[in-house]
Amino acid sequence: MEALYRKILEFRAQGVPLVLITAVEKQGSGPVEVGKKMIVTNLGQYVGTVGGGTLEHYAINKAKSIFTTRKPLMERYALTEGEI
């Protein structure tokens, strides 16, 4: 995780806008661990992981939209049909 924070400092020093994605809760099984982080830059670069797969791809695309809205966002994802 220390490497991720160094990368954040590096991007900030270069003036590269970024979004930080953090897994804040988990119920049941799945590939992500609470506390996992990922950064996405306005250039589409990303560092770190929040579990991989389709969910991570969705999170990357959602992060890209934040560069336009400039508003914080917290979302909940259900990986099982019928859950919210």
Side-chain angles (χ1 to χ4, degrees):
M1 178 111 34
E2 190 176 314
L4 183 81
Y5 289 117
R6 280 195 299 269
K7 198 66 177 169
I8 290 172
L9 291 174
E10 179 183 318
F11 282 133
R12 297 296 294 151
Q14 296 170 4
V16 176
L18 58 88
V19 171
L20 175 65
I21 302 167
T22 306
V24 296
E25 182 182 5
K26 175 182 171 183
Q27 295 178 355
S29 62
V32 71
E33 297 173 26
V34 172
K36 285 289 192 174
K37 298 180 183 305
M38 168 182 227
I39 54 176
V40 178
T41 72
N42 67 329
L43 303 172
Q45 299 168 291
Y46 55 92
V47 179
T49 185
V50 288
T54 303
L55 183 59
E56 184 166 291
H57 180 74
Y58 178 81
I60 290 169
N61 286 330
K62 197 61 142 171
K64 290 176 183 177
S65 74
I66 291 174
F67 293 110
T68 303
T69 65
R70 300 189 58 81
K71 294 187 180 193
L73 174 69
M74 183 172 197
E75 290 191 341
R76 181 182 186 134
Y77 303 100
L79 301 178
T80 306
E81 276 189 58
E83 291 184 21
I84 297 176

Coordinates of all heavy atoms in Angstrom, one line a residue:
M1 N 0.8 -1.2 0.0 CA 0.0 0.0 0.0 C 0.9 1.3 0.0 O 0.5 2.3 -0.6 CB -0.9 0.0 1.2 CG -1.8 1.2 1.3 SD -3.5 1.1 1.0 CE -4.1 -0.5 1.6
E2 N 2.0 1.2 0.6 CA 2.9 2.3 0.6 C 3.3 2.8 -0.8 O 3.4 4.0 -1.1 CB 4.2 2.0 1.4 CG 5.1 3.1 1.7 CD 6.2 2.8 2.6 OE1 6.1 2.1 3.6 OE2 7.4 3.2 2.2
A3 N 3.5 1.8 -1.7 CA 3.8 2.1 -3.1 C 2.7 2.9 -3.7 O 2.9 3.8 -4.5 CB 4.1 0.9 -3.9
L4 N 1.4 2.6 -3.4 CA 0.3 3.3 -3.9 C 0.3 4.8 -3.5 O 0.1 5.7 -4.3 CB -1.0 2.7 -3.5 CG -2.3 3.3 -4.1 CD1 -2.5 2.8 -5.5 CD2 -3.5 3.0 -3.2
Y5 N 0.6 5.0 -2.2 CA 0.7 6.4 -1.7 C 1.8 7.2 -2.4 O 1.7 8.3 -2.6 CB 0.8 6.4 -0.2 CG -0.5 6.0 0.5 CD1 -0.6 4.8 1.3 CD2 -1.7 6.7 0.3 CE1 -1.8 4.5 1.9 CE2 -2.9 6.3 0.9 CZ -2.9 5.2 1.7 OH -4.1 4.8 2.3
R6 N 2.9 6.5 -2.6 CA 4.1 7.1 -3.3 C 3.6 7.5 -4.7 O 4.0 8.6 -5.2 CB 5.3 6.2 -3.4 CG 6.1 6.2 -2.1 CD 7.5 5.6 -2.3 NE 7.4 4.2 -2.7 CZ 7.4 3.2 -1.9 NH1 7.5 3.4 -0.6 NH2 7.4 2.0 -2.4
K7 N 2.9 6.7 -5.4 CA 2.4 6.9 -6.7 C 1.4 8.1 -6.7 O 1.5 9.0 -7.6 CB 1.7 5.7 -7.3 CG 1.6 5.7 -8.8 CD 3.0 5.7 -9.4 CE 2.8 5.6 -10.9 NZ 4.1 5.8 -11.6
I8 N 0.6 8.2 -5.7 CA -0.3 9.4 -5.6 C 0.5 10.6 -5.5 O 0.2 11.6 -6.2 CB -1.3 9.2 -4.3 CG1 -2.3 8.1 -4.6 CG2 -2.0 10.5 -4.0 CD1 -3.1 7.7 -3.4
L9 N 1.5 10.6 -4.6 CA 2.4 11.8 -4.5 C 3.0 12.2 -5.8 O 3.2 13.4 -6.1 CB 3.4 11.6 -3.4 CG 2.9 11.5 -1.9 CD1 4.0 11.2 -1.0 CD2 2.2 12.8 -1.5
E10 N 3.5 11.2 -6.5 CA 4.2 11.4 -7.8 C 3.2 12.0 -8.8 O 3.5 13.0 -9.4 CB 4.6 10.0 -8.3 CG 5.3 10.1 -9.7 CD 5.7 8.7 -10.2 OE1 6.2 7.9 -9.4 OE2 5.5 8.5 -11.4
F11 N 2.0 11.5 -8.9 CA 1.0 12.0 -9.8 C 0.6 13.5 -9.4 O 0.5 14.4 -10.3 CB -0.3 11.2 -9.9 CG -0.1 9.9 -10.7 CD1 -0.6 8.7 -10.3 CD2 0.4 10.0 -12.0 CE1 -0.5 7.6 -11.0 CE2 0.5 8.8 -12.8 CZ 0.1 7.6 -12.3
R12 N 0.5 13.7 -8.1 CA 0.1 15.0 -7.6 C 1.2 16.0 -8.0 O 1.0 17.2 -8.3 CB -0.2 15.0 -6.2 CG -1.4 14.1 -5.8 CD -2.7 14.6 -6.3 NE -3.0 15.9 -5.7 CZ -3.8 16.9 -6.3 NH1 -4.2 16.7 -7.5 NH2 -4.0 18.0 -5.7
A13 N 2.5 15.6 -7.8 CA 3.6 16.5 -8.0 C 3.7 16.9 -9.5 O 4.1 18.0 -9.9 CB 4.9 15.8 -7.6
Q14 N 3.2 16.0 -10.4 CA 3.2 16.2 -11.8 C 1.9 17.0 -12.2 O 1.7 17.3 -13.4 CB 3.2 14.9 -12.6 CG 4.5 14.2 -12.4 CD 4.5 12.7 -13.0 OE1 3.5 12.3 -13.6 NE2 5.5 12.0 -12.7
G15 N 1.0 17.2 -11.3 CA -0.3 17.9 -11.6 C -1.3 17.0 -12.3 O -2.2 17.5 -13.0
V16 N -1.1 15.7 -12.2 CA -2.0 14.8 -12.8 C -3.3 14.5 -11.9 O -3.1 14.0 -10.8 CB -1.3 13.4 -13.1 CG1 -2.3 12.4 -13.7 CG2 -0.2 13.6 -14.0
P17 N -4.5 14.9 -12.4 CA -5.7 14.6 -11.6 C -5.9 13.1 -11.4 O -5.6 12.3 -12.3 CB -6.8 15.2 -12.4 CG -6.1 16.2 -13.3 CD -4.8 15.6 -13.6
L18 N -6.4 12.7 -10.3 CA -6.6 11.3 -10.0 C -7.8 11.1 -9.1 O -8.3 12.0 -8.4 CB -5.4 10.6 -9.4 CG -4.8 11.2 -8.1 CD1 -5.5 10.5 -6.9 CD2 -3.4 11.0 -8.1
V19 N -8.4 9.9 -9.2 CA -9.5 9.5 -8.3 C -9.0 8.3 -7.5 O -8.3 7.4 -8.1 CB -10.7 9.1 -9.2 CG1 -11.8 8.5 -8.3 CG2 -11.3 10.3 -9.9
L20 N -9.3 8.3 -6.2 CA -8.9 7.2 -5.4 C -10.2 6.3 -5.1 O -11.2 6.9 -4.7 CB -8.4 7.7 -4.0 CG -8.1 6.6 -3.0 CD1 -6.9 5.7 -3.4 CD2 -7.7 7.3 -1.6
I21 N -10.1 5.0 -5.4 CA -11.2 4.1 -5.2 C -10.8 3.2 -4.0 O -9.6 2.7 -4.0 CB -11.4 3.2 -6.4 CG1 -11.7 4.0 -7.7 CG2 -12.5 2.2 -6.2 CD1 -11.6 3.3 -9.0
T22 N -11.7 3.1 -3.1 CA -11.4 2.3 -1.9 C -12.6 1.3 -1.6 O -13.7 1.7 -1.6 CB -11.2 3.2 -0.6 OG1 -10.2 4.2 -0.9 CG2 -10.8 2.4 0.6
A23 N -12.2 0.0 -1.3 CA -13.3 -0.9 -0.9 C -13.5 -0.7 0.6 O -12.6 -0.8 1.4 CB -12.8 -2.3 -1.1
V24 N -14.7 -0.3 0.9 CA -15.0 0.1 2.3 C -15.8 -0.9 3.1 O -15.9 -0.8 4.3 CB -15.7 1.5 2.4 CG1 -14.7 2.6 1.9 CG2 -17.0 1.5 1.7
E25 N -16.4 -1.9 2.4 CA -17.2 -2.9 3.1 C -17.3 -4.1 2.2 O -17.3 -4.0 1.0 CB -18.6 -2.3 3.4 CG -19.5 -3.3 4.1 CD -20.9 -2.7 4.4 OE1 -21.2 -1.6 3.9 OE2 -21.7 -3.4 5.0
K26 N -17.5 -5.2 2.9 CA -17.7 -6.5 2.1 C -18.5 -7.4 2.9 O -18.3 -7.6 4.1 CB -16.3 -7.1 1.9 CG -16.4 -8.5 1.2 CD -15.0 -9.1 1.0 CE -15.1 -10.5 0.6 NZ -13.7 -11.1 0.5
Q27 N -19.5 -8.0 2.3 CA -20.3 -9.0 2.9 C -20.2 -10.3 2.1 O -20.4 -10.2 0.8 CB -21.8 -8.6 3.0 CG -21.9 -7.4 3.9 CD -23.4 -6.9 3.9 OE1 -24.2 -7.4 3.2 NE2 -23.7 -5.9 4.8
G28 N -20.0 -11.4 2.7 CA -19.9 -12.7 1.9 C -18.5 -12.8 1.3 O -17.6 -12.2 1.7
S29 N -18.5 -13.7 0.3 CA -17.2 -14.0 -0.3 C -17.0 -13.2 -1.6 O -18.0 -12.6 -2.1 CB -17.2 -15.5 -0.7 OG -18.2 -15.8 -1.7
G30 N -15.8 -13.1 -2.0 CA -15.5 -12.3 -3.2 C -14.0 -11.9 -3.2 O -13.3 -12.1 -2.2
P31 N -13.5 -11.4 -4.3 CA -12.1 -11.2 -4.4 C -11.5 -10.0 -3.7 O -10.3 -9.9 -3.6 CB -11.9 -11.1 -6.0 CG -13.2 -10.5 -6.4 CD -14.2 -11.1 -5.5
V32 N -12.3 -9.1 -3.3 CA -11.8 -7.9 -2.7 C -11.7 -8.0 -1.2 O -12.4 -8.7 -0.6 CB -12.7 -6.6 -3.1 CG1 -14.0 -6.7 -2.4 CG2 -11.9 -5.3 -2.8
E33 N -10.7 -7.2 -0.7 CA -10.5 -7.1 0.8 C -10.8 -5.7 1.2 O -10.5 -4.8 0.4 CB -9.1 -7.5 1.2 CG -8.7 -8.9 0.9 CD -7.2 -9.1 1.1 OE1 -6.6 -8.4 2.0 OE2 -6.6 -9.9 0.5
V34 N -11.5 -5.5 2.3 CA -11.8 -4.2 2.8 C -10.5 -3.4 2.9 O -9.5 -4.0 3.4 CB -12.6 -4.2 4.1 CG1 -12.7 -2.8 4.7 CG2 -14.0 -4.8 3.9
G35 N -10.4 -2.2 2.5 CA -9.2 -1.4 2.6 C -8.4 -1.4 1.3 O -7.5 -0.5 1.1
K36 N -8.7 -2.3 0.4 CA -7.9 -2.3 -0.9 C -8.2 -1.0 -1.6 O -9.3 -0.5 -1.6 CB -8.3 -3.5 -1.8 CG -7.8 -4.8 -1.3 CD -6.3 -4.8 -1.6 CE -5.8 -6.2 -1.4 NZ -4.4 -6.4 -1.7
K37 N -7.2 -0.5 -2.3 CA -7.3 0.8 -3.0 C -6.7 0.8 -4.4 O -5.9 -0.1 -4.7 CB -6.5 1.9 -2.2 CG -7.0 2.1 -0.8 CD -6.2 3.2 -0.1 CE -6.7 3.4 1.3 NZ -8.1 3.7 1.5
M38 N -7.2 1.7 -5.2 CA -6.8 1.8 -6.6 C -6.9 3.3 -7.0 O -7.8 4.0 -6.5 CB -7.7 1.0 -7.4 CG -7.6 1.2 -8.9 SD -8.8 0.2 -9.7 CE -7.8 -0.5 -11.0
I39 N -5.9 3.8 -7.7 CA -6.1 5.1 -8.2 C -6.2 5.1 -9.8 O -5.7 4.2 -10.4 CB -4.9 6.0 -7.9 CG1 -3.5 5.4 -8.3 CG2 -4.9 6.4 -6.4 CD1 -2.3 6.3 -8.0
V40 N -7.0 6.0 -10.3 CA -7.2 6.1 -11.7 C -6.9 7.6 -12.1 O -7.4 8.5 -11.4 CB -8.7 5.8 -12.1 CG1 -8.9 6.0 -13.6 CG2 -9.0 4.4 -11.6
T41 N -6.1 7.8 -13.1 CA -5.8 9.2 -13.5 C -6.7 9.6 -14.6 O -7.4 8.8 -15.3 CB -4.3 9.3 -14.0 OG1 -4.2 8.6 -15.3 CG2 -3.3 8.7 -13.0
N42 N -6.7 10.9 -14.9 CA -7.5 11.4 -16.0 C -7.0 10.9 -17.4 O -7.7 11.1 -18.4 CB -7.6 12.9 -15.9 CG -6.2 13.6 -16.2 OD1 -5.2 13.0 -15.9 ND2 -6.2 14.8 -16.8
L43 N -5.8 10.4 -17.4 CA -5.2 9.8 -18.6 C -5.6 8.3 -18.8 O -5.1 7.7 -19.8 CB -3.7 10.0 -18.6 CG -3.2 11.4 -18.4 CD1 -1.7 11.5 -18.3 CD2 -3.7 12.3 -19.6
G44 N -6.3 7.8 -17.8 CA -6.7 6.4 -17.9 C -5.7 5.4 -17.3 O -5.9 4.2 -17.4
Q45 N -4.7 5.9 -16.7 CA -3.7 5.0 -16.0 C -4.3 4.6 -14.7 O -5.1 5.3 -14.1 CB -2.4 5.8 -15.7 CG -1.7 6.3 -17.0 CD -0.6 7.2 -16.6 OE1 -0.9 8.3 -16.1 NE2 0.6 6.8 -16.7
Y46 N -4.0 3.4 -14.3 CA -4.5 3.0 -13.0 C -3.4 2.2 -12.3 O -2.6 1.5 -12.9 CB -5.8 2.2 -13.0 CG -5.9 1.0 -13.9 CD1 -5.6 -0.2 -13.5 CD2 -6.2 1.2 -15.3 CE1 -5.6 -1.3 -14.3 CE2 -6.3 0.1 -16.1 CZ -6.0 -1.2 -15.6 OH -6.0 -2.3 -16.4
V47 N -3.4 2.3 -10.9 CA -2.5 1.6 -10.1 C -3.2 1.0 -8.9 O -4.1 1.7 -8.3 CB -1.4 2.6 -9.6 CG1 -0.4 1.9 -8.6 CG2 -0.7 3.3 -10.7
G48 N -2.9 -0.2 -8.6 CA -3.6 -0.9 -7.4 C -4.8 -1.7 -8.0 O -4.9 -1.9 -9.2
T49 N -5.5 -2.3 -7.0 CA -6.7 -3.1 -7.4 C -7.7 -3.1 -6.3 O -7.4 -2.9 -5.1 CB -6.2 -4.6 -7.7 OG1 -7.4 -5.3 -8.2 CG2 -5.7 -5.2 -6.5
V50 N -9.0 -3.3 -6.7 CA -10.1 -3.4 -5.8 C -10.7 -4.8 -6.0 O -11.9 -4.9 -5.8 CB -11.1 -2.3 -5.8 CG1 -10.4 -1.0 -5.1 CG2 -11.6 -2.0 -7.2
G51 N -10.0 -5.7 -6.6 CA -10.5 -7.1 -6.8 C -10.5 -7.6 -8.2 O -10.7 -8.8 -8.4
G52 N -10.3 -6.8 -9.2 CA -10.2 -7.3 -10.5 C -11.6 -7.6 -11.1 O -12.7 -7.3 -10.6
G53 N -11.6 -8.1 -12.3 CA -12.8 -8.5 -13.0 C -13.7 -7.4 -13.4 O -13.3 -6.2 -13.6
T54 N -15.0 -7.8 -13.7 CA -16.0 -6.8 -14.2 C -16.2 -5.7 -13.2 O -16.4 -4.5 -13.6 CB -17.3 -7.6 -14.4 OG1 -17.0 -8.7 -15.3 CG2 -18.4 -6.7 -15.0
L55 N -16.3 -6.0 -11.9 CA -16.5 -4.9 -10.9 C -15.4 -3.9 -11.0 O -15.7 -2.7 -10.9 CB -16.6 -5.5 -9.5 CG -17.0 -4.6 -8.4 CD1 -18.3 -3.9 -8.7 CD2 -17.0 -5.3 -7.1
E56 N -14.2 -4.3 -11.1 CA -13.1 -3.3 -11.1 C -13.1 -2.5 -12.4 O -12.9 -1.3 -12.4 CB -11.7 -4.0 -11.0 CG -10.6 -3.1 -11.0 CD -9.3 -3.7 -10.6 OE1 -9.2 -4.1 -9.4 OE2 -8.4 -3.9 -11.4
H57 N -13.5 -3.2 -13.5 CA -13.6 -2.4 -14.8 C -14.7 -1.4 -14.7 O -14.5 -0.2 -15.1 CB -14.0 -3.4 -15.9 CG -14.1 -2.8 -17.2 ND1 -13.1 -2.4 -18.0 CD2 -15.3 -2.5 -17.9 CE1 -13.6 -1.9 -19.1 NE2 -14.9 -2.0 -19.1
Y58 N -15.8 -1.7 -14.0 CA -16.9 -0.8 -13.8 C -16.4 0.4 -12.9 O -16.7 1.6 -13.2 CB -18.1 -1.4 -13.1 CG -19.2 -0.5 -12.8 CD1 -20.1 -0.1 -13.8 CD2 -19.4 0.0 -11.6 CE1 -21.1 0.8 -13.6 CE2 -20.4 0.9 -11.3 CZ -21.3 1.3 -12.3 OH -22.3 2.2 -12.1
A59 N -15.6 0.1 -11.9 CA -15.1 1.1 -11.0 C -14.2 2.1 -11.7 O -14.2 3.3 -11.5 CB -14.4 0.5 -9.8
I60 N -13.4 1.5 -12.6 CA -12.5 2.4 -13.4 C -13.3 3.4 -14.3 O -13.0 4.6 -14.3 CB -11.5 1.5 -14.2 CG1 -10.5 0.8 -13.3 CG2 -10.8 2.4 -15.3 CD1 -9.7 -0.3 -14.0
N61 N -14.3 2.8 -14.9 CA -15.1 3.7 -15.8 C -15.9 4.7 -15.0 O -16.0 5.9 -15.4 CB -16.0 2.9 -16.6 CG -15.3 2.2 -17.8 OD1 -14.3 2.7 -18.3 ND2 -15.8 1.0 -18.2
K62 N -16.3 4.3 -13.8 CA -17.0 5.3 -12.9 C -16.1 6.4 -12.5 O -16.4 7.5 -12.4 CB -17.6 4.5 -11.7 CG -18.7 5.3 -11.0 CD -19.8 5.5 -12.0 CE -21.1 5.4 -11.2 NZ -22.3 5.9 -12.0
A63 N -14.8 6.0 -12.1 CA -13.8 7.0 -11.7 C -13.6 8.0 -12.8 O -13.5 9.2 -12.5 CB -12.5 6.3 -11.4
K64 N -13.5 7.5 -14.1 CA -13.3 8.5 -15.2 C -14.4 9.5 -15.3 O -14.2 10.7 -15.6 CB -13.2 7.7 -16.5 CG -11.9 6.9 -16.6 CD -11.9 6.1 -17.9 CE -10.7 5.2 -18.0 NZ -10.7 4.3 -19.2
S65 N -15.7 9.1 -14.9 CA -16.8 10.1 -15.0 C -16.7 11.1 -13.9 O -17.2 12.2 -14.0 CB -18.1 9.4 -14.8 OG -18.4 8.9 -13.5
I66 N -16.0 10.8 -12.8 CA -15.8 11.8 -11.7 C -14.9 12.9 -12.1 O -15.1 14.0 -11.6 CB -15.2 11.0 -10.4 CG1 -16.3 10.1 -9.9 CG2 -14.8 12.0 -9.4 CD1 -15.9 9.2 -8.8
F67 N -14.1 12.8 -13.1 CA -13.3 13.9 -13.6 C -14.2 15.0 -14.2 O -13.8 16.2 -14.2 CB -12.2 13.5 -14.6 CG -11.2 12.6 -14.0 CD1 -11.1 11.2 -14.3 CD2 -10.2 13.1 -13.1 CE1 -10.1 10.4 -13.7 CE2 -9.3 12.3 -12.5 CZ -9.2 11.0 -12.8
T68 N -15.3 14.6 -14.7 CA -16.3 15.6 -15.2 C -17.2 16.2 -14.1 O -17.3 17.4 -14.0 CB -17.2 14.9 -16.3 OG1 -16.4 14.3 -17.3 CG2 -18.2 15.9 -16.9
T69 N -17.7 15.3 -13.2 CA -18.6 15.8 -12.2 C -17.9 16.4 -11.0 O -18.5 17.3 -10.4 CB -19.5 14.6 -11.6 OG1 -18.6 13.7 -11.0 CG2 -20.3 13.9 -12.8
R70 N -16.7 16.0 -10.7 CA -15.9 16.5 -9.6 C -16.6 16.3 -8.3 O -16.5 17.2 -7.4 CB -15.4 17.9 -9.9 CG -14.6 18.0 -11.1 CD -13.9 19.4 -11.3 NE -13.1 19.8 -10.2 CZ -11.8 19.4 -9.9 NH1 -11.2 18.6 -10.8 NH2 -11.1 19.8 -8.9
K71 N -17.4 15.3 -8.1 CA -18.2 15.0 -6.9 C -17.8 13.7 -6.4 O -17.7 12.7 -7.1 CB -19.7 15.1 -7.2 CG -20.1 16.5 -7.6 CD -21.6 16.5 -7.7 CE -22.0 18.0 -8.1 NZ -23.3 18.3 -8.0
P72 N -17.7 13.6 -5.0 CA -17.4 12.3 -4.4 C -18.5 11.3 -4.7 O -19.7 11.8 -4.8 CB -17.2 12.6 -3.0 CG -17.8 13.9 -2.8 CD -17.8 14.6 -4.1
L73 N -18.3 10.1 -4.6 CA -19.3 9.1 -4.9 C -19.0 7.8 -4.1 O -17.9 7.4 -3.9 CB -19.2 8.7 -6.4 CG -20.1 7.6 -6.9 CD1 -21.5 8.0 -6.8 CD2 -19.7 7.2 -8.3
M74 N -20.1 7.3 -3.5 CA -20.0 6.0 -2.8 C -21.1 5.1 -3.4 O -22.3 5.6 -3.4 CB -20.1 6.2 -1.3 CG -20.0 4.9 -0.6 SD -19.9 5.3 1.2 CE -19.3 3.8 1.8
E75 N -20.7 4.0 -3.9 CA -21.7 3.1 -4.4 C -21.6 1.7 -3.8 O -20.6 1.3 -3.3 CB -21.5 2.9 -5.9 CG -21.8 4.1 -6.7 CD -21.9 3.9 -8.2 OE1 -21.3 2.9 -8.7 OE2 -22.4 4.7 -8.9
R76 N -22.7 1.0 -3.9 CA -22.8 -0.4 -3.3 C -23.1 -1.3 -4.5 O -23.9 -1.0 -5.4 CB -24.0 -0.5 -2.3 CG -24.1 -1.8 -1.7 CD -25.3 -1.8 -0.8 NE -25.3 -3.1 -0.1 CZ -25.5 -3.2 1.2 NH1 -25.7 -2.2 1.9 NH2 -25.5 -4.5 1.7
Y77 N -22.3 -2.4 -4.6 CA -22.4 -3.3 -5.7 C -22.9 -4.7 -5.1 O -22.2 -5.2 -4.2 CB -21.1 -3.5 -6.4 CG -20.6 -2.2 -6.9 CD1 -19.6 -1.5 -6.2 CD2 -21.1 -1.6 -8.1 CE1 -19.1 -0.3 -6.7 CE2 -20.6 -0.4 -8.6 CZ -19.6 0.2 -7.9 OH -19.2 1.4 -8.4
A78 N -23.9 -5.3 -5.7 CA -24.3 -6.6 -5.3 C -23.8 -7.6 -6.4 O -24.0 -7.4 -7.6 CB -25.8 -6.7 -5.2
L79 N -23.1 -8.6 -5.9 CA -22.6 -9.6 -6.9 C -23.5 -10.8 -7.0 O -23.1 -11.7 -7.7 CB -21.2 -10.0 -6.4 CG -20.2 -8.8 -6.3 CD1 -18.8 -9.3 -5.8 CD2 -20.0 -8.1 -7.6
T80 N -24.6 -10.8 -6.3 CA -25.6 -11.9 -6.4 C -26.9 -11.3 -6.9 O -27.3 -10.3 -6.4 CB -25.8 -12.5 -5.0 OG1 -24.5 -12.8 -4.5 CG2 -26.7 -13.7 -5.0
E81 N -27.5 -12.0 -7.8 CA -28.8 -11.5 -8.3 C -29.8 -11.4 -7.2 O -29.8 -12.1 -6.2 CB -29.4 -12.6 -9.3 CG -28.9 -12.4 -10.7 CD -29.6 -13.3 -11.7 OE1 -30.8 -13.1 -11.8 OE2 -29.0 -14.1 -12.3
G82 N -30.6 -10.3 -7.3 CA -31.7 -10.1 -6.3 C -31.2 -9.2 -5.1 O -32.0 -8.9 -4.3
E83 N -29.9 -9.0 -5.0 CA -29.4 -8.2 -3.9 C -29.2 -6.7 -4.3 O -29.0 -6.5 -5.5 CB -28.1 -8.7 -3.3 CG -28.2 -10.0 -2.6 CD -26.9 -10.5 -2.1 OE1 -26.1 -9.7 -1.8 OE2 -26.8 -11.7 -1.8
I84 N -29.3 -5.8 -3.4 CA -29.0 -4.4 -3.7 C -27.7 -4.0 -3.0 O -27.4 -4.4 -2.0 CB -30.2 -3.5 -3.2 CG1 -31.4 -3.9 -3.9 CG2 -29.8 -2.1 -3.4 CD1 -32.6 -3.1 -3.5

